[in-house]
Amino acid sequence: MEVLWAPRHGRMCVGRVLLLLVLLLWIPTQVVVGRTGTTVTNSTTSSTPRVLRVGALFTLDSVIGRSAKPALMAAFDDVNANSSVLPGVKLEVVLHDTNCSGFVGTMEALQLMEDEVVAAIGPQSSGIAHVISHVVNELHVPLVSFGATDPSLSSLQYPYFVRSTQSDYYQMYAIADLVDYYRWREVIAIYVDDDNGRNGISVLGDALAKKRAKISYKAAFPPGALKKDISDLLNGVNLMESRVFVLHVNPDKGLNIFSIAEKLGMMNSGYVWIATDWLASALDSLEPVDPNTMNLIQGVLVLRHHTPDTNEKKSFLSRLKRLKDKKNPSFNSYALYAYDSVWLVARALDAFLKEGGVVSFSSDPKLRDTNGSMLHLESLRVFEDGPTFLQTVLSTNFTGLTGQVQFDMEKNRIHPAYDILNIGGSGMRRIGYWSNYSGLSVVAPEILYKKPPNTSTSSQQLYGVIWPGETAAKPRGWVFPNNGKPLRIAVPNRVSYLEFVSKDRNPPGVRGYCIDVFEAAINLLPYPVPREYILFGHGDRNPSYDDLASQVILNNYDAAVGDVTIVPNRTRYLDFTQPYMESGLVVVVPVKEIKSSPWSFLKPFTAQMWCVTGAFFIFVGTVIWILEHRHNPEFRGRPKKQLMTVCWFSFSTMFFSHRENTVSGLGRLVLIIWLFVVLIINSSYTASLTSILTVQQLSSQIEGIDSLISGTQPIGIQEGSFARKYLTEELNIQPSRIVTLKNMEAYIDALERGPKDGGVVAIVDELPYIEILMSSTNCKFRTVGQEFTKSGWGFAFQRDSPLAVDMSTAILQLSENGDLQKIHDKWLFKHDCSVQDNADSNELSLSSFWGLFLICGIACVLALTAFSIKVLCQYNKFSPEPELDDLENSPDRDGHENKKLSRTTTSFRDWIYFVDKKEKEIKDIIRQKSKKRRRSLSSDGQPSSPP
């Protein structure tokens, strides 16, 4: 293979620049002599070229360049040796060295374009790629880069830039997923302040924002910064809160940063370092790696371009390692991307020529020297079919050493993926993979591509990590800033309800229930929290809690501790802890005692209940009398006596003082059920009467928030409370109805005076305040209705503060071990003020007892039915029908009819007579008639004697 080198004099940048300027001035303005020796004027055309030139432009003596050059040369050799690609055409590489200089790279690119190359491979530097992209845009020459990873190069501004490697756009999203996986919320970005560094970190900020994380500080240093400058930079970030560092630098100088960080103690336990692919590229190029270098970077997380582990890849890397003139003992992933870049251009050229494409160059009329310029811009030629060839490059699809080489609509490689590595011991250990297809996984992306995509949180998985300091415990990711500044905590300077929070002369300057809860939670944290309490408000009135929240949002305070309610408009800008006290708005009204009336004993039951109960007493007494009358002598006698017995027995069961005994089975059954009913009625009557005699009644007609909304009377609220905004904005209550009250004494006065005397009809406030109000006033006031908001009190921190999460965990621990309740009992003794709504609600109606009456009624009916059937059977035996023979043989038909009529008229009288008889007498009569009938039947059956 022929390699053409651009003229150069040594490696001194100044000499190279002067030489290039001389050459540019020496080139004729009208005639350009090609490398092949042919003279070209305005246009050169070759339909079936024998030689095609491809440019290569990158820094040869660099971590990436030393790996890429051997791979690049091997690729050209393989293409030229392959008869199926570009048959009869030889690819020549024109190699230019940018020498790590943007200016030299630009000059080399211009010189490269004079060689009429059909494509340029490189550069590795994103900064140089930005400049050269403008050149290739004008000359229509595709620029295929295997090393420029700046995400902004994919923009429409650079149509001829083709990235054959992965964009840093995906790498930054991989880092964001890592940060989210370990539940960190802030990182510090350390990067080189060039195009690649700035644009990459900008994408990282966007990616973190989607995960509710952020870059707390961007620590940039210029290219070529001195060690002192880097040391000062690291010293500054070490004083900050975040301990998660994302390092995005150049692979040639990046290891120096770890050396400085190690001296500053920033590689110890508690720190997190995430390096982009530069570190993997640097380490992959060293074999073996210096043990001292590995000791510097223990526990670092590293990303590396993922390439499938195929036999072709292993064979190629072995082939490179066998080269005699290699400058690297080993090779990084950029060698594979450089190799595939050559094959991408070769396959695209093959398809382009087979489709009838023509390689031709012409002069660009816009490239003319003006005002006597000696730059000879006319020497730069335009690739006429460059747009067509560009589309062929972008539509090429093949499988290379780096996987499937194919581009999406945004000119990015499809299936971007990275290896997640953890440095430990003497090497790197893979803990998982990242791909935009399925996020973090321990399964290789090639396997996941065959399954449906799944980026849910539950599916994200990585193996364990050994962090800096040789610990397996995940670092918290933040500490309190080591800059001598304690946590600034704003505390409301209240003038009422001082049980919750108030000013104190003794350290720490504040006291109360909220302060004790906060201090108890702080003491449970596994790290010290230096803090300073600052009173918010002038002390003459309660401060506005919305203003307090705004001050925390504006970073004037780090947190707010006190009776701060968690409401939606505050949670949009602040992070609250787990609520340590339940709260909600309630309505408070005054109450008064009702004096007992002479007829209070009738109030436990409604009139309907009294009537039904009395009717059932008479009904049950009558039923038992019927069932017992034939058996029990206590239920017999004269009619007047029996009527008195029924009444006495019925009502005496109310007090279980009935003297009469029941002897029949049916009577006992009915009595047992009735006594159970009487027991329930007596108990309910006693409880209801007791409540009525001690009940308190509301002194207003307010029954809840709905009554307040529909009314027009004034409503009291606490000064500084969020209740005003809620009532006016959410419930549309007129602001003119709202009366602001300063303290508890103002509450009591306004409620006692009422709306007619300049007071309020009710007060709307949070439940914890109202409980103290009712306890302090011996239940002179009470709540009506239900809580119409559900919220709680929490400690407010700035957005994304990691302390909020740890404090929430501590509050849960306080709740579980009972300490939270102990603090509550210490400060907030609660007196029970629960009362009924009104006296009428104590009246018991039939609806509460109709089931009992139904059961008792059914039992009585069934008992009467059974009794009636038994009596009818006995009656049939007691009064048998006349014999039919006597009726048929009677000569007096008319007399018989008269007897039948007489029997019918006296049957009812006989039935009553029969029922009134004692059971024993009936049985004796039936027994005698039965014997008589048997004797009569026996005498009729004997034969008559002869005459």
Side-chain angles (χ1 to χ4, degrees):
M1 180 193 69
E2 182 179 358
V3 181
L4 304 180
W5 290 84
R8 55 176 50 83
H9 180 70
R11 299 178 62 180
M12 297 297 294
C13 292
V14 177
R16 288 168 53 86
V17 173
L18 292 175
L19 180 60
L20 287 172
L21 291 175
V22 171
L23 289 174
L24 287 173
L25 293 174
W26 174 79
I27 297 175
T29 60
Q30 300 295 331
V31 181
V32 178
V33 180
R35 298 281 182 179
T36 58
T38 58
T39 302
V40 182
T41 56
N42 290 333
S43 177
T44 58
T45 303
S46 177
S47 59
T48 56
R50 295 183 179 179
V51 177
L52 290 175
R53 294 190 182 120
V54 176
L57 185 70
F58 55 91
T59 301
L60 300 180
D61 189 16
S62 64
V63 171
I64 296 178
R66 288 190 293 269
S67 290
K69 180 185 175 183
L72 200 75
M73 298 306 176
F76 278 101
D77 290 339
D78 293 346
V79 168
N80 290 327
N82 193 320
S83 59
S84 62
V85 178
L86 293 175
V89 178
K90 180 180 180 181
L91 279 187
E92 288 185 353
V93 57
V94 181
L95 192 61
H96 285 251
D97 186 2
T98 60
N99 201 25
C100 295
S101 170
F103 176 75
V104 173
T106 303
M107 301 302 296
E108 292 285 351
L110 292 173
Q111 185 177 359
L112 179 65
M113 293 299 108
E114 296 177 6
D115 294 321
E116 295 184 353
V117 294
V118 294
I121 297 177
Q124 71 192 55
S125 168
S126 297
I128 298 176
H130 277 278
V131 178
I132 299 177
S133 292
H134 293 286
V135 177
V136 297
N137 287 351
E138 187 68 27
L139 302 179
H140 299 171
V141 176
L143 180 64
V144 181
S145 176
F146 59 85
T149 56
D150 180 2
S152 65
L153 288 169
S154 298
S155 65
L156 299 177
Q157 183 183 6
Y158 308 111
Y160 281 85
F161 177 83
V162 179
R163 195 193 328 265
S164 59
T165 186
Q166 302 294 352
S167 170
D168 275 347
Y169 175 89
Y170 300 107
Q171 181 171 211
M172 297 306 166
Y173 271 82
I175 294 176
D177 282 349
L178 267 176
V179 172
D180 182 63
Y181 178 80
Y182 290 110
R183 299 294 186 267
W184 297 315
R185 286 292 169 259
E186 292 185 4
V187 304
I188 293 177
I190 304 174
Y191 61 98
V192 180
D193 193 11
D194 57 11
D195 290 328
N196 185 59
R198 284 191 304 271
N199 296 328
I201 296 303
S202 176
V203 173
L204 176 61
D206 296 338
L208 289 173
K210 294 181 180 180
K211 303 291 184 180
R212 286 200 63 186
K214 67 177 181 179
I215 300 175
S216 60
Y217 184 74
K218 295 181 179 180
F221 58 88
L226 300 177
K227 287 187 176 182
K228 181 180 181 303
D229 299 330
I230 297 176
S231 179
D232 293 341
L233 183 71
L234 294 182
N235 263 317
V237 300
N238 196 32
L239 298 177
M240 298 179 182
E241 181 178 280
S242 178
R243 283 294 181 263
V244 181
F245 303 112
V246 176
L247 192 56
H248 186 48
V249 297
N250 189 291
D252 295 282
K253 304 295 183 181
L255 289 173
N256 293 333
I257 296 177
F258 285 115
S259 176
I260 299 172
E262 196 273 337
K263 294 178 181 178
L264 296 176
M266 299 175 66
M267 301 302 297
N268 298 327
S269 177
Y271 289 86
V272 177
W273 288 87
I274 302 175
T276 53
D277 66 286
W278 69 267
L279 181 55
S281 300
L283 297 179
D284 288 339
S285 302
L286 303 174
E287 191 178 286
V289 183
D290 184 6
N292 294 328
T293 300
M294 295 303 297
N295 290 334
L296 292 176
I297 55 178
Q298 293 293 304
V300 176
L301 292 181
V302 188
L303 273 71
R304 179 173 62 191
H305 294 117
H306 174 74
T307 54
D309 194 13
T310 60
N311 293 329
E312 290 79 3
K313 170 185 169 182
K314 295 177 182 178
S315 176
F316 178 72
L317 291 177
S318 299
R319 171 185 167 189
L320 292 182
K321 291 179 180 180
R322 292 194 299 267
L323 295 176
K324 295 182 179 180
D325 57 344
K326 64 179 180 180
K327 295 184 179 181
N328 265 8
S330 186
F331 299 87
N332 54 44
S333 60
Y334 286 99
L336 306 178
Y337 284 105
Y339 184 85
D340 281 351
S341 299
V342 176
W343 275 101
L344 171 64
V345 173
R347 291 178 182 274
L349 281 172
D350 183 60
F352 172 73
L353 295 175
K354 289 179 179 178
E355 292 174 359
V358 177
V359 178
S360 62
F361 295 85
S362 62
S363 300
D364 187 349
K366 293 183 292 183
L367 297 177
R368 293 185 180 276
D369 295 315
T370 58
N371 299 328
S373 172
M374 303 297 292
L375 294 178
H376 305 296
L377 297 177
E378 292 87 349
S379 61
L380 301 177
R381 316 282 286 174
V382 178
F383 185 8
E384 293 184 350
D385 277 355
T388 304
F389 179 53
L390 174 64
Q391 296 306 316
T392 304
V393 172
L394 295 176
S395 61
T396 301
N397 182 5
F398 69 98
T399 301
L401 298 179
T402 58
Q404 186 176 1
V405 181
Q406 185 180 354
F407 299 94
D408 58 19
M409 297 299 296
E410 296 179 354
K411 300 190 303 179
N412 290 318
R413 286 277 298 268
I414 65 170
H415 299 322
Y418 291 87
D419 296 336
I420 311 296
L421 309 174
N422 179 215
I423 297 178
S426 60
M428 295 183 290
R429 178 176 61 93
R430 183 189 293 117
I431 62 171
Y433 306 89
W434 179 92
S435 69
N436 69 333
Y437 187 78
S438 57
L440 300 173
S441 173
V442 295
V443 181
E446 295 80 33
I447 299 176
L448 296 176
Y449 294 149
K450 302 175 183 178
K451 302 177 182 180
N454 184 7
T455 57
S456 62
T457 304
S458 59
S459 66
Q460 306 300 289
Q461 185 180 3
L462 292 174
Y463 291 121
V465 176
I466 302 299
W467 302 99
E470 297 183 357
T471 175
K474 186 200 78 172
R476 190 170 65 249
W478 66 278
V479 295
F480 281 95
N482 189 20
N483 52 15
K485 295 181 180 179
L487 196 70
R488 299 165 300 168
I489 302 175
V491 178
N493 192 5
R494 297 187 57 89
V495 297
S496 63
Y497 298 107
L498 302 181
E499 297 89 344
F500 296 109
V501 61
S502 64
K503 182 180 179 180
D504 190 20
R505 296 181 179 179
N506 300 320
V510 287
R511 64 192 297 267
Y513 168 74
C514 302
I515 302 301
D516 280 6
V517 173
F518 183 78
E519 287 289 331
I522 283 286
N523 292 333
L524 290 178
L525 299 182
Y527 47 87
V529 181
R531 54 199 178 275
E532 174 189 6
Y533 294 103
I534 304 172
L535 290 172
F536 180 80
H538 301 292
D540 57 345
R541 61 177 58 190
N542 291 337
S544 169
Y545 282 67
D546 286 338
D547 293 343
L548 174 62
S550 299
Q551 293 300 313
V552 179
I553 296 171
L554 296 174
N555 199 27
N556 293 327
Y557 300 104
D558 299 311
V561 172
D563 47 342
V564 182
T565 307
I566 305 172
V567 292
N569 64 319
R570 296 172 185 169
T571 57
R572 295 189 185 101
Y573 310 103
L574 296 173
D575 280 350
F576 281 87
T577 62
Q578 171 84 11
Y580 61 88
M581 172 172 277
E582 296 298 325
S583 178
L585 292 177
V586 293
V587 179
V588 183
V589 296
V591 295
K592 66 178 182 180
E593 292 188 0
I594 298 178
K595 296 182 179 180
S596 299
S597 69
W599 303 101
S600 296
F601 69 92
L602 294 176
K603 291 185 178 181
F605 290 159
T606 61
Q608 183 187 35
M609 180 65 182
W610 279 118
C611 294
V612 172
T613 303
F616 255 83
F617 271 106
I618 300 298
F619 173 67
V620 172
T622 303
V623 170
I624 293 178
W625 177 84
I626 293 174
L627 297 176
E628 292 290 322
H629 179 68
R630 302 180 70 196
H631 301 274
N632 196 338
E634 295 181 355
F635 287 87
R636 299 185 65 84
R638 296 187 303 274
K640 182 178 180 182
K641 178 184 177 183
Q642 294 184 49
L643 181 61
M644 291 297 297
T645 300
V646 170
C647 294
W648 167 256
F649 181 83
S650 298
F651 290 100
S652 63
T653 56
M654 180 186 300
F655 311 102
F656 305 98
S657 60
H658 52 284
R659 296 176 300 177
E660 296 78 9
N661 295 321
T662 53
V663 296
S664 66
L666 293 176
R668 290 176 176 177
L669 175 64
V670 172
L671 182 61
I672 289 175
I673 295 176
W674 174 243
L675 290 177
F676 174 74
V677 174
V678 170
L679 175 64
I680 299 300
I681 292 175
N682 277 344
S683 302
S684 302
Y685 176 86
T686 303
S688 181
L689 181 61
T690 302
S691 178
I692 288 174
L693 294 177
T694 58
V695 76
Q696 291 177 321
Q697 189 178 22
L698 303 182
S699 61
S700 69
Q701 298 302 316
I702 301 299
E703 298 179 354
I705 187 62
D706 293 333
S707 303
L708 284 180
I709 295 175
S710 60
T712 58
Q713 296 171 313
I715 304 170
I717 64 168
Q718 183 181 172
E719 187 174 30
S721 172
F722 76 99
R724 172 183 290 276
K725 180 178 291 187
Y726 184 85
L727 294 176
T728 56
E729 296 182 3
E730 300 294 333
L731 302 183
N732 296 320
I733 294 177
Q734 293 297 324
S736 58
R737 295 180 57 195
I738 307 300
V739 178
T740 301
L741 301 174
K742 185 176 181 180
N743 50 35
M744 187 189 304
E745 290 73 18
Y747 274 25
I748 298 172
D749 179 64
L751 286 173
E752 289 179 342
R753 286 190 289 120
K756 295 182 180 180
D757 296 328
V760 296
V761 68
I763 286 177
V764 175
D765 206 348
E766 296 181 76
L767 185 58
Y769 303 123
I770 299 307
E771 289 178 344
I772 292 182
L773 171 66
M774 294 191 297
S775 298
S776 302
T777 57
N778 197 24
C779 301
K780 292 175 61 177
F781 311 101
R782 56 152 303 181
T783 62
V784 291
Q786 302 293 326
E787 293 183 53
F788 54 93
T789 63
K790 292 292 184 181
S791 59
W793 290 354
F795 304 126
F797 293 88
Q798 292 181 4
R799 192 69 168 174
D800 299 322
S801 172
L803 190 59
V805 178
D806 291 349
M807 286 293 289
S808 294
T809 304
I811 292 173
L812 289 176
Q813 293 178 4
L814 290 175
S815 178
E816 291 175 356
N817 60 27
D819 290 343
L820 191 61
Q821 185 61 42
K822 293 178 182 178
I823 299 173
H824 181 277
D825 296 340
K826 171 186 174 182
W827 290 96
L828 311 173
F829 175 75
K830 179 181 177 183
H831 179 68
D832 189 9
C833 292
S834 60
V835 293
Q836 299 295 327
D837 288 341
N838 51 58
D840 295 336
S841 64
N842 293 287
E843 290 187 342
L844 301 175
S845 63
L846 180 62
S847 60
S848 302
F849 299 96
W850 69 267
L852 288 173
F853 288 127
L854 178 63
I855 294 173
C856 184
I858 292 174
C860 291
V861 171
L862 292 177
L864 287 175
T865 302
F867 175 78
S868 299
I869 293 174
K870 178 182 178 182
V871 171
L872 285 174
C873 292
Q874 291 178 343
Y875 183 71
N876 288 334
K877 296 178 181 180
F878 177 77
S879 180
E881 295 182 1
E883 296 182 2
L884 294 176
D885 293 340
D886 296 340
L887 294 174
E888 291 175 356
N889 297 328
S890 175
D892 190 357
R893 294 283 181 176
D894 295 335
H896 171 70
E897 293 296 334
N898 292 332
K899 291 180 179 179
K900 184 177 181 180
L901 179 61
S902 176
R903 188 181 297 113
T904 302
T905 56
T906 59
S907 60
F908 179 74
R909 200 180 326 154
D910 294 340
W911 166 258
I912 296 298
Y913 171 77
F914 175 78
V915 172
D916 188 56
K917 281 186 172 292
K918 293 182 179 180
E919 181 76 14
K920 183 177 180 181
E921 295 177 358
I922 294 297
K923 290 182 178 179
D924 292 340
I925 294 173
I926 293 175
R927 192 179 302 112
Q928 294 175 4
K929 285 191 174 185
S930 177
K931 291 179 179 180
K932 184 178 180 180
R933 189 181 297 109
R934 286 198 298 271
R935 288 197 299 267
S936 176
L937 290 176
S938 62
S939 64
D940 291 341
Q942 294 180 356
S944 59
S945 58

